[in-house]
Each structure stands twice: as C-alpha cells, then as structure tokens.
Amino acid sequence: MRLAVDAMGGDHAPLEIVKGVEMALKTFSDIEITLFGDEVAIRKVLTSEERITIVHTDEVIHSDEDPVKAYRRKKNASMVLAANAVKEGQADACLSAGSTGAYLATGLFVVGRIDGIIRPALAPTFPTIDGRGFVLLDVGANAEAKPEYLLQFGLMGAIYAEKVRGIVNPRVGLLNIGAEENKGNDLTKAAFNLLKQSNLNFIGNVEARDLLNGVADVVVTDGFTGNMVLKTTEGTAGSIMKMLKTSLTSGFISKIAALMMKSKLSGMKKLMDYKEQGGAALFGVKSPVIKAHGSSDAFAFHNAIRQAKLMVQANLAEEIEQALKSNDIKVEVTK
C-alpha cells in the first residue's frame, strides 16, 4: 500500500510530519510513503529512507491564502501533488495537515467525487466517555446543506463506522436542538423525514449535550453547525485540562493529590485527545483523503496514517459507491 503525504502542511512541518511518517513505517510493515515537499528541508529531519520516496516541490499553500484561488494557482503545491498521485493511481490515499479549505478543494477537484454523491463531507471521529467514539459529519465542507446531503452523510458515516471502526449496525443521529421529532428548522425537519424513511439505523434527533456520552455512532449536521461543535469541543477539552492542572498544582496538598491521581488524569487526557483519533476524512471522494489536525505532532500524524490505511483496506469508497448503486439510498436534490 502506498500513501502520498504532504510533508509541508501543518504548524510543525516538515519535522513532525516526517517523524510521524517514520513512526508509522515502523508500526506498519505493509506501507510505503511518498513525501511531497522541499527535499532539502525533508532530508534535514529524515533519519531513514527505507520505504520512503521524496518528490521535490518548493510550492506550498499557506493557511492565510484563499483556498480555491491557491489550489488553482499552485498546481505544484505539495498537497496538490499528493492528491494527483492518488488520481493517477500512484498512491492509494493522501494526507495533509495543511490548509483545510485548500485541501478540501484539492480533494474534490483532483481526486473527484464518487458517482452519485451530491456533496462530500469532512468527518472527524470524536471521543466519548465510554471510549466508543462517534463520527460527526459535516464539520466544514458544506456551510449550507440540503436535507438530501444529510441523508447521504448518514449513509457514508454508517459505512465508515461499520467497515473501518467495526461497529455493527451503527446508530445514526441527527444533531438538533431537541430530541422530539418536530424540533428544529426546515432543514432538520426535512432531513429527519428522509433519514426516518431510509434503511439506516436512525435513532432520531440528538442534542449536542449528549454527544460525548455516546448517544450515537454517527451524527449528521450541516458544515457550519458541525464546525462550531468541533471547535467548541476542542476548546472545552483543552480548557478543562488547563483548569485541572492549575487546581492540582496550586499548593502542596494539591500537588500530592495530583501525584496520586496522575495515572487517572493521564487516562482522561488520552481519552479526550484529538491526537488519538487520527484525522478528519473527506467522505464522498473516490479514494481516501485525510486531513490531519493543523497542530499535529508526530503521534497525531501517525494515527492519521493508521486511519488512511484502514480506509484503504476497507475499500471505503467502493463500499459507498455500491451502497448508492443498490438503490437503498437514492435521492434527488430539492430546488
């Protein structure tokens, strides 16, 4: 299996990206990786070239650039070349920790949509208290959505949860302001009816306060709302850990208590850490496209590679395409 990696994307590139790649190569003996980026910069931090190929480019898309304009103008950018490798069959999946908007445009326009998918969705896996986790889609690919998008999001999320995460008959929930069937706006009410009529294991509306309690395995929403949930959850988890650290280091007795609770606190931090979850997958494109967190360290990028590997092994894109062709989920977009 060959993976294409944008070595220049992210806050800590290329150092942490390369370290994550080397970590993954030690973990997984059946992968080879092509790194796209500044060859000089990459070689400065690379310790071994076993199963690694470097393709040089000095073009990089930065986070402050207009995503679509940057994609169109910088055809030799590291993330674009990585996606091209997938399109041309030289790689099975691509990964980047770079500009989210530019990478979404690259995934959509270069790798391309699966036939029948109306709109791709960006979907990270969130941790839950029970350790099971859930997939949330969309978190930013579609700020505005139609009911049919959410139906297809539910289908793609359910296939991912089953084939990649190993969850039998995954529960699909619709993010809403209340659990009652008549709650929400025109979008959620119409989406509720479509999901209810589908063959998915639709459990109805779910509220944001219940997400981390494991109320569903797949949660669908529009990209604007999903991105707000993503940023709020990340910020809240980080703030709680900071408050705990401050409280437990404020005095001698507190420090003794912190030492006694160290293993428990480490377990809690690990449970809520995005680094454990891999990246956000762009569902609905013809091959796996993984967006790693912009601040990814080596461990986080290693887990994003693990996620890409699992998606390739599960033939996720083919599974989604077959589900669409089976007529189990067939929709027409409303005007």
Side-chain angles (χ1 to χ4, degrees):
M1 183 187 305
R2 180 169 285 278
L3 306 178
V5 171
D6 168 19
M8 310 310 292
D11 301 338
H12 309 297
L15 175 61
E16 294 298 326
I17 304 303
V18 171
K19 287 171 63 178
V21 164
E22 292 183 326
M23 189 184 300
L25 288 168
K26 291 178 181 177
T27 304
F28 310 115
S29 61
D30 59 343
I31 65 171
E32 298 179 4
I33 291 179
T34 302
L35 294 171
F36 294 85
D38 185 330
E39 185 171 3
V40 174
I42 292 170
R43 289 192 183 279
K44 283 183 180 179
V45 295
L46 190 65
T47 62
S48 171
E49 294 189 35
E50 185 178 356
R51 289 185 282 141
I52 289 179
T53 302
I54 302 173
V55 175
H56 174 74
T57 180
D58 53 12
E59 271 193 345
V60 179
I61 295 177
H62 301 286
S63 59
D64 58 351
E65 296 182 79
D66 180 273
V68 177
K69 288 182 180 179
Y71 154 72
R72 289 174 176 168
R73 188 173 66 252
K74 294 184 173 181
K75 294 299 184 182
N76 288 318
S78 50
M79 70 167 58
V80 178
L81 292 182
N84 270 323
V86 174
K87 178 183 178 181
E88 294 168 4
Q90 299 169 357
D92 300 299
C94 57
L95 302 93
S96 176
S99 165
T100 300
Y103 196 48
L104 290 178
T106 298
L108 177 59
F109 297 131
V110 177
V111 178
R113 280 183 299 175
I114 295 170
D115 290 340
I117 289 296
I118 308 167
R119 293 286 181 88
L122 190 64
T125 299
F126 283 70
T128 54
I129 291 172
D130 60 7
R132 186 180 175 107
F134 74 95
V135 181
L136 176 67
L137 58 171
D138 177 29
V139 298
N142 307 276
E144 296 181 2
K146 294 179 182 292
E148 296 83 3
Y149 301 0
L150 301 191
L151 174 62
Q152 289 195 342
F153 294 172
L155 169 69
M156 293 190 290
I159 292 174
Y160 177 82
E162 180 179 353
K163 302 297 182 180
V164 176
R165 306 196 67 236
I167 299 173
V168 178
N169 198 24
R171 301 161 297 158
V172 179
L174 173 65
L175 187 61
N176 210 331
I177 58 173
E180 298 85 357
E181 183 171 342
N182 62 349
K183 286 284 188 177
N185 53 22
D186 290 342
L187 170 64
T188 54
K189 289 176 181 177
F192 186 100
N193 290 330
L194 287 178
L195 288 161
K196 186 177 180 180
Q197 294 166 18
S198 75
N199 67 337
L200 299 171
N201 182 17
F202 179 56
I203 62 170
N205 292 323
V206 296
E207 297 185 63
R209 65 184 178 186
D210 296 321
L211 294 180
L212 300 187
N213 290 327
V215 66
D217 302 305
V218 177
V219 178
V220 298
T221 187
D222 62 274
F224 181 88
T225 304
N227 193 267
M228 297 286 280
V229 170
L230 173 66
K231 299 294 175 57
T232 300
T233 304
E234 284 184 347
T236 301
S239 296
I240 289 173
M241 294 309 298
K242 287 179 182 178
M243 287 188 287
L244 281 172
K245 184 177 180 180
T246 299
S247 297
L248 293 172
T249 56
S250 60
F252 178 75
I253 300 299
S254 296
K255 289 178 181 178
I256 295 298
L259 286 173
M260 296 176 65
M261 296 171 59
K262 186 176 180 180
S263 62
K264 295 291 185 182
L265 291 173
S266 295
M268 177 182 173
K269 183 179 180 181
K270 183 177 181 180
L271 181 66
M272 301 303 295
D273 194 350
Y274 73 87
K275 297 173 186 176
E276 298 282 342
Q277 305 302 322
L282 183 60
F283 290 166
V285 290
K286 294 178 180 178
S287 296
V289 173
I290 304 296
K291 171 62 179 71
H293 201 288
S295 61
S296 290
D297 61 10
F299 180 67
F301 205 80
H302 162 273
N303 282 338
I305 292 173
R306 172 182 50 79
Q307 181 183 16
K309 179 179 183 293
L310 290 172
M311 290 177 67
V312 173
Q313 289 175 331
N315 295 314
L316 188 69
E318 292 85 352
E319 291 284 351
I320 292 172
E321 189 169 12
Q322 287 303 314
L324 291 170
K325 288 180 179 178
S326 71
N327 293 320
D328 289 334
I329 300 287
K330 188 173 183 180
V331 296
E332 300 293 335
V333 185
T334 55
K335 300 289 186 180

